[in-house]
C-alpha cells in the first residue's frame, strides 16, 4: 500500500473525474470530514475504508491502494500459469526463458507473491537442467520472500534447496532439511498432502545413497498413496486458463483470478510427474538390490522414459546409471557402457554420488572384460568422488572392489590400505545411521 499522501491524491483525482462531492463519496458509511482528511494525506485508511471508496470510485482496491491497475497483476498471474504449463508438459530451458521475463515484470510491479512464484519456477528449471548453484539461489530467494507465509506455502522452496544440495552430493544436509520440515508439518498440524508428496519424494534419493533402503521404500509408498489422481489434468488446466482470458477481456478480474488459481493447482499436480518418475526409479533400485533384474529394468526404463519426456537431462542421466548397472548384470555390456557415457558428458553439473557410481560401473565392466588396468583407473576416480559426498555405503563397497582388484594383482599392502579406508568410512560415527525417521502425519487439506 502506498503512503497516505499518494492514496489521498488518487482519491481526490478520481472523485473529481466522476464529479462527486466529498459528501456524495462518503455516503453512507463515512463523513465528508473523513474524506477531506483522507484526500489531504493526513490519515492512513484501513483496508475496509479503501475497499468502500474503491467501489464508489469505480476502481479496484489494488489500484486505489497502489496505483497499479489490477489488470496488470492478473495478466502477470496468467503468464505465470503459461510458464507453469510449459514446465509441466515441455522443456525446462524453454520455461526458464518465460520465468526470467516474468520475474523482471513482477519486480517492476513490486508483486512479491508473483516474484516468489517466478523464482520457484526458475529453481525447478535449474534442477532439471543441472544448473544446481543457480537453482539453489533461486529457491533461497523465494523462501526469503515467503518468510511470512505458512510452512506448506514454503515447502516448494525448502524441497528445492534440499534437492539442489542432494544433487551436489551433500546427502546428510539434504536429509536434514527434508526430515525436519516433515516433522514440523506434523507437529503443527499442517500435513498438507501436496507438501508431503514433494517432501517424501525428495527424501528418497538421499535415503538410497545413504543406505537407508527401508526408509526410501516407505517414503515412496507414502508419496504414491498421497498423489492425487486427475483425469487428463492438462486439459482441465488449459480450460481454466482460457476461461481466465475470457474473464480478463470482459474486465472480470476477480473471476479471472479464481480461474487462474484452479489452473495453477492443476499444474502443481502435473509437476508431480517428475516426482512419480523418482518413485519408479526407487522401485527399480529396490528390485535390483533383490536380484529381480527384469522387474528392475522395467521400472527404471519407465522412470527414464518419464524423465526423457520432460527433457530432465540431469535426472535422466542419473537413472541411466542405475539402468546400466542392471544391464551389466544381465550381461549387456555395450548397452550399459553407452548409457553411462551420457552422465559423464554432463561434467561438473551433476553430483559426486552419481558420477562416482558411473565410474564404479565402468570399472566393473572393465574388470569383467578382463581389463584390470582400466578398472583400477575408474575405481580410483570413483573413490575420490564418493569421499566428497559422504555416501558411506557406496564408499565401503567401492573400497572392497578396489581392494580385491589390488589383492588379485599381488599388491597386498595397497589392498590392505584400501580395505582399511572402507572400514574407516563404514565405522565413522554418525555416518551410517540416521536419527528416528520423521513421523508419517495424518494428512488433511489446509
Amino acid at each position: 500500500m502506498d503512503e497516505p499522501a499518494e492514496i489521498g491524491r488518487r482519491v481526490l483525482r478520481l472523485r473529481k473525474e466522476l464529479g462527486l462531492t466529498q459528501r456524495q463519496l462518503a455516503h453512507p458509511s463515512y463523513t465528508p470530514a473523513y474524506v477531506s482528511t483522507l484526500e489531504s494525506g493526513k490519515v492512513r485508511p484501513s483496508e475496509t475504508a479503501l475497499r468502500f471508496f474503491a467501489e464508489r470510485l469505480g476502481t479496484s482496491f489494488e489500484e486505489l491502494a497502489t496505483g497499479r491497475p489490477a489488470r496488470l497483476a492478473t495478466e502477470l498471474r496468467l503468464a505465470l500459469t503459461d510458464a507453469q504449463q510449459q514446465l509441466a508438459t515441455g522443456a525446462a530451458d524453454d520455461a526458464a526463458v518465460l520465468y526470467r521475463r516474468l520475474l523482471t515484470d513482477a519486480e517492476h510491479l513490486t508483486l512479491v507473491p508473483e516474484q516468489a512464484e517466478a523464482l520457484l519456477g526458475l529453481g525447478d528449471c535449474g534442477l532439471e537442467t543441472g544448473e544446481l548453484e543457480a537453482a539453489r539461489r533461486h529457491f533461497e530467494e523465494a523462501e526469503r520472500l515467503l518468510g511470512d507465509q505458512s510452512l506448506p506455502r514454503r515447502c516448494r522452496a525448502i524441497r528445492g534447496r534440499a534437492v539442489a544440495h542432494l544433487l551436489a552430493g551433500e546427502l546428510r544436509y539434504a536429509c536434514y532439511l527434508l526430515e525436519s520440515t516433515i516433522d514440523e508439518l506434523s507437529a503443527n498440524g499442517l500435513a498438507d498432502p501436496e507438501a508431503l508428496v514433494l517432501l517424501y519424494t525428495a527424501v528418497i534419493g538421499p535415503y538410497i545413497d545413504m543406505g537407508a533402503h527401508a526408509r526410501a521404500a516407505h517414503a515412496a509408498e507414502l508419496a504414491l498413496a498421497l498423489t492425487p489422481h486427475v483425469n487428463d489434468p492438462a486439459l482441465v488446466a488449459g480450460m481454466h486458463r482460457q476461461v481466465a482470458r475470457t474473464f480478463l477481456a470482459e474486465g472480470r478480474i476477480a473471476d479471472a483470478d479464481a480461474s487462474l488459481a484452479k489452473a495453477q493447482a492443476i499444474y502443481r499436480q502435473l509437476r508431480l510427474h517428475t516426482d512419480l518418475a523418482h518413485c519408479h526409479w526407487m522401485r527399480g533400485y529396490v528390485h535390483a538390490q533383490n536380484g529381480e533384474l527384469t522387474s528392475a529394468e522395467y521400472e527404471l526404463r519407465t522412470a527414464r522414459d518419464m524423465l526423457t519426456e520432460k527433457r530432465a537431462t540431469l535426472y535422466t542421466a542419473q537413472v541411466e546409471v542405475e539402468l546400466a548397472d542392471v544391464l551389466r548384470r544381465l550381461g549387456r555390456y555395450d548397452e550399459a557402457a553407452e548409457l553411462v557415457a551420457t552422465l559423464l558428458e554432463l561434467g561438473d553439473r551433476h553430483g559426486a554420488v552419481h558420477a562416482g557410481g558411473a565410474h564404479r560401473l565402468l570399472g566393473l565392466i572393465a574388470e569383467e572384460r578382463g581389463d584390470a588396468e582400466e578398472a583400477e583407473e575408474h575405481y580410483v576416480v570413483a573413490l575420490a568422488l564418493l569421499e566428497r559426498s559422504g555416501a558411506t555405503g557406496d564408499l565401503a563397497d567401492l573400497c572392497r572392489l578396489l581392494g580385491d582388484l589390488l589383492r588379485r594383482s599381488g599388491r597386498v599392502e595397497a589392498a590392505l590400505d584400501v580395505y582399511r579406508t572402507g572400514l574407516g568410512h563404514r565405522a565413522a560415527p554418525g555416518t551410517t545411521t540416521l536419527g528416528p525417521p520423521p513421523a508419517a502425519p495424518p494428512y488433511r487439506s489446509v
Side-chain angles (χ1 to χ4, degrees), residues 316-397:
T316 301
Q318 292 174 347
V319 170
E320 286 176 342
V321 172
E322 307 287 354
L323 177 57
D325 191 43
V326 170
L327 296 175
R328 176 194 66 83
R329 292 166 65 183
L330 289 168
R332 292 148 65 182
Y333 293 123
D334 291 338
E335 288 181 69
E338 183 179 350
L339 286 176
V340 173
T342 303
L343 178 66
L344 295 181
E345 287 173 1
L346 292 175
D348 294 335
R349 291 192 297 156
H350 54 74
V353 172
H354 295 284
H359 280 287
R360 171 189 174 278
L361 181 54
L362 287 171
L364 283 169
I365 293 173
E367 189 172 358
E368 290 170 6
R369 284 176 161 173
D371 192 337
E373 183 176 348
E374 182 182 346
E376 182 178 345
E377 290 176 0
H378 283 298
Y379 288 155
V380 169
V381 173
L383 182 61
L385 288 165
L386 292 175
E387 282 185 319
R388 286 167 36 198
S389 71
T392 54
D394 291 344
L395 268 168
D397 176 66

XYZ file of all heavy atoms in Angstrom, residues 316-397:
613
model
N 17.542 -37.784 -15.916
C 17.543 -38.892 -16.864
C 18.888 -39.607 -16.863
O 18.960 -40.849 -16.830
C 17.236 -38.376 -18.285
O 15.959 -37.732 -18.291
C 17.216 -39.519 -19.284
N 19.967 -38.841 -16.903
C 21.302 -39.443 -16.914
C 21.560 -40.236 -15.642
O 22.182 -41.308 -15.671
C 22.357 -38.357 -17.080
N 21.065 -39.748 -14.510
C 21.294 -40.452 -13.244
C 20.524 -41.775 -13.200
O 21.038 -42.786 -12.702
C 20.900 -39.542 -12.084
C 21.843 -38.355 -11.951
C 21.390 -37.370 -10.898
O 20.259 -37.435 -10.416
N 22.265 -36.455 -10.533
N 19.291 -41.765 -13.695
C 18.543 -43.026 -13.762
C 19.262 -44.012 -14.678
O 19.294 -45.223 -14.420
C 17.104 -42.768 -14.265
C 16.410 -44.092 -14.577
C 16.302 -42.016 -13.225
N 19.863 -43.501 -15.729
C 20.534 -44.392 -16.674
C 21.735 -45.095 -16.052
O 22.125 -46.175 -16.507
C 20.939 -43.599 -17.927
C 19.723 -43.291 -18.796
C 20.045 -42.423 -19.990
O 21.121 -41.759 -19.984
O 19.233 -42.386 -20.934
N 22.337 -44.505 -15.019
C 23.406 -45.218 -14.305
C 22.843 -46.462 -13.635
O 23.418 -47.557 -13.715
C 24.077 -44.306 -13.264
C 25.042 -45.104 -12.400
C 24.828 -43.186 -13.952
N 21.695 -46.316 -12.965
C 21.062 -47.470 -12.314
C 20.658 -48.515 -13.359
O 20.855 -49.723 -13.170
C 19.832 -47.019 -11.521
C 20.078 -45.901 -10.535
C 20.839 -46.351 -9.304
O 21.082 -47.565 -9.162
O 21.192 -45.480 -8.486
N 20.090 -48.032 -14.458
C 19.667 -48.950 -15.513
C 20.874 -49.659 -16.128
O 20.826 -50.866 -16.412
C 18.901 -48.174 -16.592
C 18.437 -48.961 -17.817
C 17.551 -50.135 -17.413
C 17.695 -48.035 -18.786
N 21.960 -48.908 -16.320
C 23.161 -49.515 -16.893
C 23.712 -50.614 -15.997
O 24.210 -51.640 -16.484
C 24.226 -48.437 -17.122
N 23.625 -50.441 -14.696
C 24.115 -51.477 -13.782
C 23.284 -52.749 -13.926
O 23.815 -53.867 -13.891
C 24.075 -50.971 -12.345
C 24.811 -51.903 -11.394
O 25.909 -52.376 -11.756
O 24.285 -52.172 -10.300
N 21.963 -52.571 -14.099
C 21.101 -53.739 -14.314
C 21.468 -54.423 -15.633
O 21.562 -55.666 -15.697
C 19.620 -53.304 -14.305
C 18.722 -54.450 -14.770
C 19.207 -52.847 -12.911
N 21.676 -53.634 -16.679
C 22.053 -54.216 -17.964
C 23.394 -54.949 -17.863
O 23.576 -56.010 -18.481
C 22.125 -53.121 -19.029
C 20.795 -52.414 -19.356
C 21.031 -51.275 -20.337
C 19.779 -53.405 -19.913
N 24.320 -54.392 -17.106
C 25.611 -55.076 -16.907
C 25.399 -56.432 -16.256
O 25.972 -57.452 -16.676
C 26.533 -54.226 -16.027
C 27.861 -54.918 -15.680
C 28.582 -54.205 -14.556
N 27.863 -54.290 -13.289
C 27.926 -55.331 -12.458
N 28.661 -56.388 -12.765
N 27.252 -55.318 -11.317
N 24.566 -56.457 -15.243
C 24.327 -57.715 -14.541
C 23.600 -58.725 -15.426
O 23.660 -59.931 -15.170
C 23.539 -57.437 -13.254
C 24.368 -56.653 -12.228
C 23.518 -56.080 -11.102
N 22.921 -57.129 -10.292
C 22.077 -56.879 -9.279
N 21.739 -55.622 -8.995
N 21.575 -57.874 -8.570
N 22.911 -58.212 -16.458
C 22.263 -59.105 -17.416
C 23.203 -59.499 -18.555
O 22.806 -60.202 -19.481
C 21.024 -58.414 -17.992
C 19.830 -58.251 -17.035
C 18.789 -57.313 -17.620
C 19.210 -59.607 -16.710
N 24.460 -59.005 -18.488
C 25.456 -59.343 -19.489
C 25.411 -58.486 -20.733
O 26.089 -58.773 -21.725
N 24.657 -57.374 -20.719
C 24.525 -56.497 -21.879
C 25.485 -55.315 -21.720
O 25.102 -54.181 -21.467
C 23.070 -56.061 -22.025
C 22.169 -57.248 -22.411
C 20.762 -57.161 -21.866
N 20.000 -56.044 -22.398
C 18.753 -55.778 -22.011
N 18.140 -56.564 -21.122
N 18.105 -54.745 -22.505
N 26.787 -55.596 -21.860
C 27.839 -54.644 -21.525
C 27.831 -53.411 -22.425
O 28.023 -52.283 -21.955
C 29.212 -55.314 -21.599
C 29.421 -56.384 -20.546
C 29.743 -57.681 -20.922
C 29.305 -56.083 -19.202
C 29.935 -58.672 -19.962
C 29.500 -57.053 -18.223
C 29.815 -58.353 -18.615
O 30.006 -59.314 -17.664
N 27.671 -53.594 -23.712
C 27.737 -52.455 -24.628
C 26.614 -51.452 -24.342
O 26.837 -50.235 -24.338
C 27.660 -52.935 -26.080
C 28.913 -53.696 -26.502
O 29.962 -53.486 -25.850
O 28.842 -54.480 -27.466
N 25.407 -51.961 -24.117
C 24.291 -51.077 -23.775
C 24.575 -50.319 -22.491
O 24.307 -49.115 -22.379
C 23.009 -51.881 -23.607
C 22.410 -52.427 -24.882
C 21.123 -53.182 -24.594
O 20.125 -52.521 -24.218
O 21.116 -54.424 -24.717
N 25.130 -51.018 -21.515
C 25.417 -50.404 -20.216
C 26.437 -49.284 -20.358
O 26.252 -48.174 -19.836
C 25.924 -51.468 -19.240
N 27.546 -49.537 -21.070
C 28.596 -48.535 -21.214
C 28.086 -47.299 -21.954
O 28.451 -46.163 -21.632
C 29.789 -49.135 -21.949
N 27.225 -47.490 -22.939
C 26.687 -46.363 -23.702
C 25.826 -45.466 -22.822
O 25.881 -44.234 -22.917
C 25.866 -46.894 -24.876
C 25.323 -45.795 -25.784
C 24.541 -46.348 -26.956
O 24.570 -47.577 -27.166
O 23.896 -45.556 -27.654
N 25.035 -46.075 -21.944
C 24.195 -45.286 -21.049
C 25.040 -44.477 -20.066
O 24.756 -43.308 -19.800
C 23.237 -46.201 -20.279
C 22.057 -46.769 -21.055
C 21.272 -47.729 -20.182
C 21.157 -45.650 -21.558
N 26.077 -45.080 -19.504
C 26.911 -44.400 -18.522
C 27.617 -43.194 -19.144
O 27.793 -42.155 -18.492
C 27.949 -45.375 -17.932
C 28.928 -44.635 -17.030
C 27.250 -46.461 -17.136
N 27.996 -43.303 -20.396
C 28.701 -42.203 -21.057
C 27.863 -40.925 -21.057
O 28.396 -39.813 -20.995
C 29.060 -42.602 -22.478
N 26.540 -41.058 -21.082
C 25.665 -39.886 -21.088
C 25.865 -39.052 -19.830
O 25.961 -37.822 -19.894
C 24.183 -40.321 -21.187
O 24.013 -41.114 -22.352
C 23.269 -39.107 -21.241
N 25.915 -39.700 -18.684
C 26.091 -38.972 -17.430
C 27.448 -38.302 -17.371
O 27.583 -37.147 -16.978
C 25.924 -39.916 -16.236
C 26.141 -39.257 -14.874
C 25.065 -38.220 -14.605
C 26.171 -40.280 -13.762
N 28.497 -39.002 -17.768
C 29.839 -38.446 -17.670
C 29.998 -37.227 -18.569
O 30.803 -36.336 -18.277
C 30.876 -39.513 -18.029
C 30.932 -40.699 -17.053
C 32.005 -41.678 -17.485
C 31.178 -40.220 -15.626
N 29.225 -37.145 -19.647
C 29.297 -35.985 -20.530
C 28.772 -34.718 -19.858
O 29.070 -33.609 -20.299
C 28.495 -36.248 -21.804
C 29.170 -37.250 -22.755
C 28.273 -37.614 -23.922
O 27.150 -37.070 -23.992
O 28.684 -38.451 -24.744
N 28.006 -34.864 -18.772
C 27.485 -33.696 -18.072
C 28.558 -32.972 -17.273
O 28.355 -31.847 -16.819
C 26.339 -34.104 -17.136
C 25.053 -34.574 -17.813
C 24.072 -35.052 -16.771
C 24.445 -33.469 -18.652
N 29.703 -33.604 -17.060
C 30.815 -32.957 -16.370
C 30.481 -32.606 -14.931
O 29.893 -33.387 -14.192
N 30.837 -31.377 -14.517
C 30.705 -30.965 -13.127
C 29.286 -30.564 -12.742
O 29.058 -30.142 -11.609
C 31.649 -29.781 -12.845
C 33.114 -30.184 -12.956
O 33.400 -31.385 -12.773
O 33.940 -29.301 -13.226
N 28.337 -30.680 -13.665
C 26.979 -30.230 -13.349
C 26.188 -31.269 -12.555
O 25.060 -31.016 -12.167
C 26.213 -29.891 -14.632
C 26.739 -28.644 -15.330
C 25.775 -28.213 -16.410
N 25.642 -29.222 -17.449
C 24.579 -29.322 -18.229
N 23.550 -28.535 -18.067
N 24.527 -30.244 -19.172
N 26.710 -32.436 -12.334
C 25.986 -33.455 -11.587
C 26.667 -33.702 -10.255
O 27.775 -33.258 -10.017
C 25.886 -34.759 -12.391
C 27.227 -35.265 -12.843
N 28.123 -35.845 -11.989
C 27.811 -35.243 -14.064
C 29.207 -36.184 -12.678
N 29.050 -35.820 -13.933
N 26.019 -34.430 -9.352
C 26.558 -34.675 -8.032
C 27.620 -35.756 -8.029
O 27.697 -36.616 -8.909
N 28.431 -35.711 -6.978
C 29.537 -36.652 -6.868
C 29.052 -38.091 -6.715
O 29.714 -39.028 -7.180
C 30.410 -36.272 -5.675
N 27.906 -38.302 -6.085
C 27.421 -39.663 -5.863
C 27.180 -40.378 -7.188
O 27.645 -41.506 -7.406
C 26.122 -39.650 -5.026
C 25.509 -41.049 -4.973
C 26.411 -39.161 -3.623
N 26.482 -39.724 -8.093
C 26.142 -40.380 -9.354
C 27.337 -40.454 -10.296
O 27.477 -41.414 -11.052
C 24.961 -39.666 -10.002
C 23.705 -39.782 -9.194
N 22.956 -40.931 -9.160
C 23.109 -38.920 -8.348
C 21.935 -40.760 -8.347
N 22.006 -39.553 -7.844
N 28.209 -39.438 -10.238
C 29.435 -39.523 -11.037
C 30.307 -40.667 -10.541
O 30.877 -41.431 -11.334
C 30.201 -38.202 -10.967
N 30.402 -40.797 -9.209
C 31.155 -41.927 -8.648
C 30.547 -43.250 -9.041
O 31.255 -44.213 -9.358
N 29.209 -43.306 -9.030
C 28.545 -44.539 -9.430
C 28.809 -44.889 -10.882
O 28.955 -46.070 -11.229
N 28.899 -43.864 -11.741
C 29.184 -44.120 -13.154
C 30.576 -44.709 -13.335
O 30.768 -45.683 -14.074
C 29.048 -42.820 -13.950
N 31.562 -44.137 -12.656
C 32.927 -44.660 -12.772
C 33.047 -46.049 -12.137
O 33.762 -46.912 -12.663
C 33.915 -43.690 -12.128
C 34.256 -42.527 -13.006
N 35.069 -42.643 -14.109
C 33.862 -41.225 -12.950
C 35.188 -41.456 -14.689
N 34.456 -40.585 -14.018
N 32.342 -46.275 -11.042
C 32.346 -47.609 -10.430
C 31.815 -48.641 -11.422
O 32.375 -49.733 -11.587
C 31.480 -47.600 -9.174
C 31.223 -48.989 -8.574
C 30.171 -48.883 -7.474
N 29.793 -50.192 -6.984
C 28.905 -50.996 -7.573
N 28.313 -50.617 -8.699
N 28.612 -52.175 -7.042
N 30.728 -48.272 -12.120
C 30.118 -49.189 -13.072
C 31.054 -49.465 -14.249
O 31.206 -50.610 -14.687
C 28.797 -48.612 -13.568
C 28.006 -49.455 -14.558
C 27.755 -50.858 -14.013
C 26.692 -48.768 -14.893
N 31.714 -48.414 -14.753
C 32.666 -48.624 -15.839
C 33.836 -49.492 -15.380
O 34.372 -50.293 -16.161
C 33.179 -47.275 -16.348
C 32.167 -46.460 -17.170
C 32.714 -45.063 -17.438
C 31.839 -47.163 -18.474
N 34.203 -49.339 -14.117
C 35.247 -50.204 -13.569
C 34.819 -51.660 -13.526
O 35.592 -52.570 -13.874
N 33.589 -51.916 -13.132
C 33.078 -53.287 -13.094
C 33.047 -53.896 -14.498
O 33.409 -55.065 -14.694
C 31.674 -53.290 -12.493
C 31.574 -53.156 -10.966
C 30.138 -52.908 -10.549
C 32.101 -54.427 -10.294
N 32.572 -53.083 -15.460
C 32.521 -53.595 -16.830
C 33.921 -53.937 -17.326
O 34.150 -55.003 -17.928
C 31.849 -52.559 -17.754
C 30.356 -52.412 -17.387
C 31.986 -52.964 -19.220
C 29.646 -51.286 -18.120
N 34.877 -53.030 -17.065
C 36.256 -53.286 -17.497
C 36.826 -54.524 -16.820
O 37.497 -55.355 -17.461
C 37.129 -52.065 -17.188
N 36.548 -54.679 -15.531
C 37.077 -55.833 -14.795
C 36.477 -57.127 -15.324
O 37.186 -58.132 -15.506
C 36.785 -55.676 -13.303
C 37.479 -56.706 -12.440
C 37.343 -56.427 -10.960
O 36.729 -55.400 -10.588
O 37.842 -57.245 -10.167
N 35.179 -57.119 -15.584
C 34.532 -58.331 -16.081
C 34.965 -58.668 -17.507
O 34.851 -59.819 -17.939
C 33.011 -58.169 -15.990
C 32.525 -58.174 -14.535
C 31.062 -57.771 -14.392
O 30.389 -57.605 -15.425
O 30.603 -57.615 -13.243
N 35.481 -57.673 -18.221
C 36.017 -57.920 -19.558
C 37.511 -58.240 -19.529
O 38.135 -58.407 -20.577
C 35.779 -56.697 -20.444
C 34.327 -56.585 -20.914
C 34.107 -55.303 -21.705
N 32.893 -55.387 -22.526
C 32.379 -54.374 -23.222
N 32.975 -53.187 -23.187
N 31.289 -54.539 -23.949
N 38.096 -58.261 -18.307
C 39.495 -58.653 -18.174
C 40.501 -57.527 -18.266
O 41.714 -57.780 -18.327
N 40.054 -56.260 -18.263
C 40.974 -55.118 -18.343
C 41.150 -54.540 -16.944
O 40.493 -53.581 -16.555
C 40.419 -54.061 -19.295
C 41.441 -52.995 -19.642
O 42.400 -52.807 -18.866
O 41.269 -52.326 -20.684
N 42.084 -55.127 -16.166
C 42.281 -54.726 -14.773
C 42.801 -53.297 -14.664
O 42.438 -52.560 -13.734
C 43.242 -55.692 -14.093
N 43.650 -52.881 -15.598
C 44.233 -51.532 -15.522
C 43.157 -50.459 -15.682
O 43.100 -49.495 -14.912
C 45.302 -51.372 -16.600
C 46.016 -50.024 -16.541
C 47.132 -49.923 -17.563
O 47.497 -50.960 -18.159
O 47.629 -48.806 -17.778
N 42.284 -50.631 -16.675
C 41.198 -49.665 -16.863
C 40.242 -49.688 -15.676
O 39.764 -48.640 -15.229
C 40.436 -49.965 -18.148
C 39.309 -48.959 -18.425
C 38.516 -49.278 -19.681
O 38.985 -50.119 -20.487
O 37.427 -48.686 -19.853
N 39.963 -50.880 -15.140
C 39.075 -50.994 -13.984
C 39.634 -50.208 -12.807
O 38.908 -49.462 -12.127
C 38.888 -52.462 -13.612
N 40.932 -50.347 -12.550
C 41.552 -49.637 -11.429
C 41.431 -48.123 -11.611
O 41.151 -47.393 -10.647
C 43.025 -50.040 -11.301
C 43.722 -49.378 -10.121
C 45.168 -49.827 -9.973
O 45.551 -50.844 -10.587
O 45.913 -49.128 -9.246
N 41.649 -47.647 -12.825
C 41.553 -46.202 -13.079
C 40.162 -45.676 -12.732
O 40.016 -44.626 -12.084
C 41.871 -45.920 -14.549
C 43.333 -46.124 -14.920
C 43.570 -45.927 -16.411
O 42.587 -45.635 -17.140
O 44.731 -46.061 -16.842
N 39.138 -46.401 -13.154
C 37.769 -45.959 -12.851
C 37.476 -46.046 -11.360
O 36.828 -45.154 -10.793
C 36.762 -46.796 -13.640
C 36.663 -46.418 -15.086
N 36.255 -45.174 -15.516
C 36.934 -47.134 -16.224
C 36.255 -45.137 -16.839
N 36.666 -46.300 -17.297
N 37.934 -47.091 -10.686
C 37.697 -47.223 -9.254
C 38.345 -46.086 -8.482
O 37.765 -45.548 -7.521
C 38.244 -48.560 -8.744
C 37.444 -49.777 -9.175
C 38.062 -51.035 -9.249
C 36.100 -49.685 -9.485
C 37.355 -52.155 -9.627
C 35.376 -50.806 -9.876
C 36.007 -52.044 -9.950
O 35.302 -53.164 -10.322
N 39.547 -45.693 -8.869
C 40.255 -44.614 -8.166
C 39.517 -43.289 -8.335
O 39.351 -42.514 -7.380
C 41.714 -44.511 -8.665
C 42.373 -43.237 -8.139
C 42.512 -45.731 -8.223
N 39.050 -43.011 -9.547
C 38.266 -41.789 -9.772
C 36.980 -41.823 -8.952
O 36.592 -40.832 -8.309
C 37.938 -41.621 -11.273
C 36.988 -40.441 -11.484
C 39.213 -41.405 -12.075
N 36.312 -42.969 -8.948
C 35.073 -43.104 -8.176
C 35.327 -42.891 -6.693
O 34.529 -42.238 -5.996
C 34.458 -44.479 -8.416
N 36.423 -43.410 -6.187
C 36.748 -43.262 -4.763
C 36.908 -41.791 -4.402
O 36.383 -41.328 -3.378
C 38.033 -44.032 -4.445
C 38.490 -44.024 -2.983
C 37.442 -44.652 -2.092
C 39.824 -44.755 -2.841
N 37.607 -41.024 -5.224
C 37.801 -39.597 -4.954
C 36.465 -38.854 -4.948
O 36.229 -37.974 -4.110
C 38.738 -38.996 -5.996
N 35.578 -39.209 -5.878
C 34.273 -38.548 -5.948
C 33.401 -38.875 -4.744
O 32.763 -37.999 -4.145
C 33.556 -38.953 -7.241
C 34.116 -38.361 -8.539
C 33.579 -39.109 -9.746
C 33.758 -36.884 -8.638
N 33.367 -40.145 -4.358
C 32.493 -40.563 -3.265
C 32.979 -40.073 -1.919
O 32.177 -39.845 -0.999
C 32.348 -42.081 -3.262
C 31.583 -42.661 -4.465
C 31.603 -44.183 -4.434
C 30.151 -42.153 -4.494
N 34.278 -39.903 -1.765
C 34.790 -39.372 -0.494
C 34.296 -37.947 -0.270
O 34.157 -37.516 0.878
C 36.317 -39.417 -0.483
C 36.868 -40.809 -0.201
C 38.382 -40.835 -0.082
O 39.057 -40.153 -0.874
O 38.880 -41.544 0.815
N 34.003 -37.224 -1.336
C 33.471 -35.862 -1.204
C 32.022 -35.853 -0.748
O 31.542 -34.876 -0.184
C 33.556 -35.128 -2.544
C 34.949 -34.703 -2.936
C 35.009 -34.280 -4.396
N 33.803 -33.586 -4.847
C 33.466 -33.424 -6.120
N 34.252 -33.915 -7.079
N 32.370 -32.776 -6.459
N 31.292 -36.922 -1.015
C 29.841 -36.897 -0.849
C 29.353 -37.420 0.490
O 28.262 -37.080 0.917
C 29.192 -37.736 -1.953
O 29.443 -39.113 -1.721
N 30.124 -38.278 1.147
C 29.653 -38.893 2.382
C 28.738 -40.076 2.175
O 28.030 -40.480 3.097
N 28.722 -40.640 0.968
C 27.901 -41.829 0.692
C 28.650 -43.054 1.204
O 29.307 -43.778 0.461
C 27.623 -41.943 -0.797
N 28.538 -43.297 2.491
C 29.406 -44.280 3.146
C 29.201 -45.702 2.653
O 30.156 -46.466 2.522
C 29.180 -44.232 4.664
O 27.781 -44.406 4.912
C 29.626 -42.905 5.235
N 27.952 -46.075 2.377
C 27.721 -47.426 1.884
C 28.396 -47.653 0.543
O 29.039 -48.678 0.314
N 28.276 -46.692 -0.351
C 28.921 -46.802 -1.658
C 30.443 -46.816 -1.521
O 31.133 -47.519 -2.253
C 28.500 -45.631 -2.556
C 27.034 -45.721 -2.971
O 26.454 -46.812 -2.826
O 26.484 -44.707 -3.433
N 30.968 -46.014 -0.595
C 32.414 -45.963 -0.382
C 32.950 -47.315 0.082
O 33.976 -47.806 -0.421
C 32.755 -44.889 0.649
C 33.079 -43.494 0.117
C 33.102 -42.499 1.254
C 34.421 -43.513 -0.596
N 32.283 -47.908 1.040
C 32.744 -49.191 1.560
C 32.725 -50.260 0.471
O 33.666 -51.054 0.337
C 31.882 -49.623 2.743
N 31.664 -50.275 -0.324
C 31.567 -51.251 -1.409
C 32.662 -51.027 -2.437
O 33.284 -51.983 -2.931
C 30.196 -51.142 -2.066
C 30.067 -52.075 -3.260
O 30.089 -53.301 -3.060
O 29.953 -51.561 -4.389
